[in-house]
Amino acid sequence: MDRYLASELIGPFLFGVGAFSSVGVAIGTLFDLVRRVTEKGLPLDIAIEVFLLKLPDFIVLAFPMSVLLATLMGYSRLSADSEIVALRSCGVSIYRAIVPAVVMSLFVTGLTFAFNELVVPAANYRATITLERAMNREKPPFRDRNIIYTQFDRVRKDNGHKVKVMTRLFYAEEFDGNRMKGLTILDRSEGNLSQVVVSESATWNPAQNTWDFFNGTIYLIGEGGSYRNIVRFEHQQLQLPRTPLDLAARGRDYGEMSIAQAKERLEIISQGGDEDKIIELKVRIQQKYALPFVCVLFGLVGSTLGIRPRRASKATSFGISIVIIFGYYLLAFITNAFGQLGILSPFMAAWLPLGIGLAIAIGLLIRASR
């Protein structure tokens, strides 16, 4: 029975992977590549390479949708031909009948996670680099202008409460991959602005874990904001974090990072104090964890709706799948926005749509079993 039910699901699943990934890659990549080939002279072989490299990203997105389509179409066919009635008359419960769908969903969940971690980030990054080189717009492997690092710390106020305040601001106008140029550092580590460092250039000294500043001026500021001393220097070593150099390194886009790479990036930007970027990256990391489990949700929903006694064509099943997919991802988009606004925690922003969907699916399953 399990082999028979599984065989009913494999065909629609493969059809769904082909259909959904084809539509996604056509809208998301193909049209843009055709425009670049015809209008901007992108070589055809490069366009084909970029197209193939972008395929895994859309295949991963198609996996959950294909599970929904496969279970809905497979069980709808069985229900329409009264095979579900025959199974139930033999003592097979609804819960037992959907076991093959759940097992397939779990398998596709693991496949989705593997693709999303091992294949998609590397393929997307290579596609970006290949396209930039072909268009002669390759970006340097670092951020070359306006490097800003803001250091925060918790200080105790007179009333005894600790608050988070800025203790240091590091700004470099340019970066050539080795040397920062046009630097300004504001030091508030003692509670108030105590010194301002202006320097022509600076390099990181890995041997001593310090910054070497060249041709600059240190303005020492006393109480009330008045200058109490001015020190000019040709070479000065300052004990500052290495974080500005890490922030200058070119960061990959979210789709080009695995979970491990995203967590490493999170550690770096967390030291910079940019709360918006920190929250956004935390939400994206949780979404990477949650995405594969959408396969389980869609497997339960599809099999539960399909197993109910009714007659539905393949076109009807496809239409129902589109409505469910649109509704789920609309909810996911809304919770994601709430997460980035701080209304929801990153965990809740990523997992709340899945929790709501599972609650609805379990309710439908209990109702179908009665």
Side-chain angles (χ1 to χ4, degrees), residues 31-67:
F31 293 155
D32 181 61
L33 288 176
V34 170
R35 181 180 60 82
R36 290 177 184 269
V37 169
T38 56
E39 297 180 5
K40 300 185 179 181
L42 178 68
L44 183 60
D45 59 331
I46 298 297
I48 294 175
E49 181 181 357
V50 172
F51 175 80
L52 294 176
L53 287 170
K54 295 296 290 184
L55 267 178
D57 191 18
F58 293 97
I59 291 175
V60 164
L61 294 176
F63 279 157
M65 306 178 195
S66 303
V67 169

Side-chain angles (χ1 to χ4, degrees), residues 14 28 46 52 79 109 128 140 187 238 300 312 316 325 329 335 367:
L14 295 177
I46 298 297
L52 294 176
S79 179
T109 295
T128 300
D187 189 349
L238 295 178
L300 281 174
T316 302
I325 290 167
Y329 284 108
T335 58
R367 183 177 179 182

Side-chain angles (χ1 to χ4, degrees), residues 115-175:
F115 258 74
N116 219 22
E117 281 296 289
L118 303 177
V119 179
V120 173
N124 283 346
Y125 184 67
R126 184 177 173 184
T128 300
I129 297 299
T130 301
L131 189 59
E132 288 176 351
R133 287 176 179 172
M135 302 301 295
N136 295 320
R137 292 203 304 251
E138 184 178 2
K139 298 178 182 178
F142 51 82
R143 184 176 175 182
D144 58 352
R145 298 192 64 84
N146 298 324
I147 314 302
I148 302 175
Y149 164 60
T150 309
Q151 184 177 354
F152 291 87
D153 198 3
R154 302 189 74 86
V155 299
R156 188 179 298 276
K157 292 293 186 179
D158 295 337
N159 58 10
H161 292 99
K162 285 188 174 182
V163 295
K164 189 176 182 180
V165 298
M166 185 187 77
T167 56
R168 187 176 287 113
L169 175 65
F170 182 108
Y171 171 76
E173 184 177 344
E174 298 180 20
F175 180 53

